[in-house]
Amino acid sequence: MTSTLPPDGTTAELAALTRTAWAEGLGHDEFHDDENFFEVGGHSMCAVRIVRSLKTRLGIPLSVRDFFAHPTVAGLALYLSEVVATAGDGGPVRAEAGA
């Protein structure tokens, strides 16, 4: 699977993808980028759905533990940008089959 990220994997695009995944997982979009996931109605099963969605869309490794360590859209997007930066030469990230 090829990443949906642009080659530079900017935090703004990652924030938009993260926001979309949160809205789908939570079933609403009534949150701000700096609000804590659990304070806007999130729970562990929502987190699992969001992590699965982001892993599929971005083709990068992400665990529920990573998600819990970065419980805001802004914080998670920043973390994801670091993962993308360390995943290679800044080009598209590719997921392994079955990842």
Side-chain angles (χ1 to χ4, degrees):
M1 161 196 269
T2 302
S3 172
T4 59
L5 293 175
D8 62 356
T10 63
T11 304
E13 283 98 1
L14 287 167
L17 288 169
T18 301
R19 207 174 296 115
T20 298
W22 272 42
E24 291 169 354
L26 290 167
H28 68 83
D29 61 0
E30 298 172 14
F31 54 84
H32 298 283
D33 289 358
D34 59 348
E35 286 188 284
N36 186 290
F37 174 73
F38 297 102
E39 294 175 3
V40 296
H43 53 78
S44 59
M45 292 310 294
C46 283
V48 169
R49 286 192 299 266
I50 292 167
V51 166
R52 185 179 329 126
S53 174
L54 289 170
K55 285 173 65 171
T56 300
R57 289 177 183 183
L58 301 176
I60 59 176
L62 180 66
S63 69
V64 174
R65 177 179 277 179
D66 297 329
F67 182 88
F68 289 160
H70 308 282
T72 66
V73 168
L76 187 57
L78 182 59
Y79 172 75
L80 292 174
S81 71
E82 294 167 1
V83 172
V84 168
T86 60
D89 62 357
V93 177
R94 297 189 182 275
E96 298 286 325

